[in-house]
């Protein structure tokens, strides 16, 4: 008799994701496995429905030797706001890597993607930020702005944020939420003021034009750009990457195609030889920051192994390990 | 509040698929929409786990203007028999085409794929078989041999089968099942005897070497080759296609890459200009059989629109039409 798959709803996830440090460790190990070539990541599938203002992406892959493989289906339907619905949605399916059987359906509505994205930011900061973080800079006021700040609490004791957002109202709301999460917040009038006043900066916008420019750079700074995940997106002027002592990609192959690194290469400011991979920095085969005066930049585009690791963490917490034992 | 997706298990499917003629009509309309260019079918996604003797295929697509789009995940894990499990598995996910929301999870274990494949055989026979079917020929003794015969009952009154299979024991078992389904059955000692004695022949094997050859051809014959869905598979000698008055592909683009048509083109016996598409024959823009003496061949490789139509039929039967109304 075939076992029925476990349906995991969003409300079952928060409790089992309770151990933040374990989750950070799991996703760190995922980045290392990815950089060591142990992860199978086929090209992303894409279904475009322009007449619906919708797009669907199918990301799937497996860590060789794991008990499961994962399929994630994520969508953006940009006319949903008129119906009072969120634009983005998603779910994950975990299958047994020995038998192929469906083990679990994770109906997370995109939540796990949000969390694993924030955790990648915390991991980048853990390995690349200067030893003392004097102030955190956040550029952008969406869900990721809040989540990135929340997860940074696990890797730095700093609780002061300089915040900039394009919309004054959204910035006020975001500042209130950050304060509720235990931070003190200064709202800045210009994005570059955030850069000038902080030494751990996270950019979380969908901008297609650079928001931060090199004239506000200073020694002893780390920037994580996690908004720029598409070929047309750019949050950092290419000269920032040109001035950095270390540039780190979550995935060299993805960052060659999209995000800050692709833009800076296209402008001739850097080459791929200048780019390290996050898993290499975590495991120590490539040095990250070499002094507290270094400027470092991490470019995060999102890798399937993050999905695999967070899904496994949820399933571990619920006692789901395999279907065929 | 977001609606939860409906979980549809295998045991809920048979009742709602009760109206065979409606289902045949729905899949016919699907083939027509496909041939008219109304179906979005991105390339098939593939995750290969050779160290597990496993492979996963992700097929997805949408009929423009439909209420839903579909994602099908099908796997073959060929060491499963040692665990007492079937090698193949599958499920389908239907999403709302307006909002992107997950509407239903069809846990069919690959059953709907089997049924839609058999129905395509019935549709090919309906449009291409001679007006009087004197005997049905079946080459192969697997699940599709039984299902193809079963669905042919809806398009021909003929109830006599000539059967050939490689294994004597499997052929006996298949013959018994076909008799239980209302057929008289002659077991043949050679595959070509099936061809010589029947005028509606279906091949349902995974053979990589031709089983039927042109010397047994006769006027007034239709052959549906549905086993040969991969680039290395071949059930018909290319000279059979060379001798045919009409060759019909379920998908011209797929048959150019795999199956009988690809083999016959590679051998220089036919060209793509000789190949019609099933949806064109159904709607009448390309003639099918022009006389009862014609020899016709249909090459079926399986098209995503068949999955879409059968999933919609199941959901229609259960009253699932959309998530956002």
């Amino acid at each position: 008799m075939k076992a029925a798959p476990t349906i995991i709803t969003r409300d079952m996830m928060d409790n089992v994701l309770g151990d933040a440090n374990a989750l950070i460790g799991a996703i760190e190990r995922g980045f290392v496995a990815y950089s060591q070539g142990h992860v199978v990541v086929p090209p992303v599938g894409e279904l475009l429905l322009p007449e619906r203002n919708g797009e669907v992406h199918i990301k799937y892959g497996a860590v060789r030797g794991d008990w499961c493989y994962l399929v994630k289906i994520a969508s953006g339907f940009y006319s949903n706001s008129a119906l009072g619905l969120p634009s983005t949605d998603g779910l994950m399916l975990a299958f047994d890597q020995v038998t192929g059987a469906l083990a679990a359906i994770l109906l997370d509505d995109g939540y796990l993607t949000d969390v694993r994205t924030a955790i990648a930011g915390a991991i980048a900061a853990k390995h690349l930020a200067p030893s003392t973080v004097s102030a955190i800079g956040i550029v952008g006021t969406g869900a990721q702005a809040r989540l990135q700040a929340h997860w940074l609490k696990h890797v730095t004791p700093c609780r002061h944020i300089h915040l900039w957002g394009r919309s004054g109202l959204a910035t006020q709301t975001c500042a209130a939420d950050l304060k509720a999460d235990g931070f003190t917040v200064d709202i800045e009038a210009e994005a570059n003021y955030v850069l000038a006043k902080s030494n751990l900066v996270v950019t979380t916008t969908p901008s297609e034009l650079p928001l931060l420019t090199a004239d506000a750079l200073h020694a002893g700074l780390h920037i994580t750009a996690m908004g720029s995940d598409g070929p047309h997106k750019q949050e950092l002027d290419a000269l920032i990457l040109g001035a950095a002592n270390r540039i780190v990609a979550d995935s060299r192959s993805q960052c060659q195609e999209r995000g800050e690194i692709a833009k800076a290469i296209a402008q001739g400011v850097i080459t791929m030889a200048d780019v390290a991979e996050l898993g290499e920095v975590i495991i120590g085969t490539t040095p990250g920051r070499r002094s507290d005066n270094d400027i470092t930049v991490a470019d995060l585009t999102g890798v399937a192994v993050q999905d695999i690791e967070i899904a496994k963490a949820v399933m571990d917490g619920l006692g789901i390990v395999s279907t065929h034992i």
Side-chain angles (χ1 to χ4, degrees), chain A:
Chain A
M1 182 64 196
K2 189 172 157 177
T6 306
I7 312 286
I8 307 173
T9 52
R10 161 83 192 257
D11 58 327
M12 298 161 71
M13 293 177 187
D14 279 318
N15 281 341
V16 295
L17 290 178
D19 185 347
N21 289 321
L23 203 51
I24 289 171
I27 293 183
E28 282 179 322
R29 286 188 296 278
F31 279 121
V32 171
Y34 178 76
S35 289
Q36 291 180 334
H38 301 321
V39 186
V40 193
V41 186
V44 174
E46 191 173 60
L47 176 68
L48 302 178
L49 298 168
E51 71 276 25
R52 304 291 198 176
N53 202 13
E55 57 183 32
V56 185
H57 289 98
I58 306 178
K59 296 184 180 182
Y60 52 108
V63 179
R64 291 197 193 281
D66 261 8
W67 75 265
C68 69
Y69 64 90
L70 197 79
V71 178
K72 177 170 94 168
I73 303 164
S75 65
F77 281 74
Y78 303 105
S79 302
N80 274 359
S81 55
L83 299 167
L85 296 171
S87 294
T88 59
D89 203 347
L91 80 157
M92 298 181 185
L93 303 162
F95 298 83
D96 193 296
Q97 213 183 97
V98 173
T99 66
L102 178 64
I105 303 170
L106 295 91
L107 298 173
D108 69 309
D109 310 336
Y111 169 67
L112 295 178
T113 300
D114 287 345
V115 173
R116 63 82 158 156
T117 301
I119 292 174
I123 291 170
K126 176 179 168 187
H127 293 278
L128 292 164
S131 53
T132 301
V133 177
S134 57
I136 297 167
I138 303 272
V139 177
T141 58
Q144 264 309 309
R146 295 156 169 87
L147 273 172
Q148 290 282 338
H150 181 75
W151 280 89
L152 284 177
K153 292 163 76 174
H154 298 287
V155 297
T156 173
C158 177
R159 296 291 178 269
H160 187 61
I161 289 177
H162 296 278
L163 177 69
W164 177 85
R166 202 175 42 179
S167 146
L169 186 60
T171 309
Q172 294 286 350
T173 311
C174 183
D177 288 346
L178 292 171
K179 284 175 189 163
D181 197 23
F183 292 95
T184 54
V185 181
D186 290 336
I187 294 177
E188 303 296 338
E190 294 188 23
N192 257 4
Y193 295 172
V194 169
L195 185 56
K197 295 180 183 178
S198 314
N199 65 348
L200 169 56
V201 175
V202 185
T203 62
T204 70
T205 76
S207 183
E208 300 195 355
L209 287 173
L211 298 169
L212 300 181
T213 55
D215 48 291
L217 281 180
H218 51 90
L221 169 69
H222 171 73
I223 306 174
T224 296
M226 55 70 45
S228 50
D229 58 351
H232 301 296
K233 295 184 185 170
Q234 184 174 18
E235 300 181 277
L236 310 182
D237 190 284
L239 294 178
I240 292 179
L241 280 77
N245 302 92
R246 172 59 71 202
I247 303 166
V248 178
D250 55 358
S251 157
R252 237 188 236 107
S253 63
Q254 287 182 195
C255 289
Q256 198 161 2
E257 308 279 326
R258 56 188 68 198
E260 309 303 332
I261 289 170
K263 292 280 182 189
I265 289 174
Q267 292 177 41
V269 175
I270 61 167
T271 70
M272 276 312 288
D274 299 317
V275 178
E277 208 163 65
L278 187 52
E280 300 164 358
V281 172
I282 293 168
I283 200 74
T285 54
T286 302
R289 164 176 298 276
R290 274 159 292 196
S291 97
D292 266 346
N293 289 323
D294 272 6
I295 295 175
T296 54
V297 174
D299 189 7
L300 305 182
T301 54
V303 184
V305 74
Q306 298 168 250
D307 300 318
I308 294 171
E309 294 301 334
I310 197 163
K312 280 187 339 202
V314 169
M315 292 187 289
D316 276 354
L318 294 168
I320 304 166
V321 290
S322 174
T323 64
H324 67 286
I325 297 170

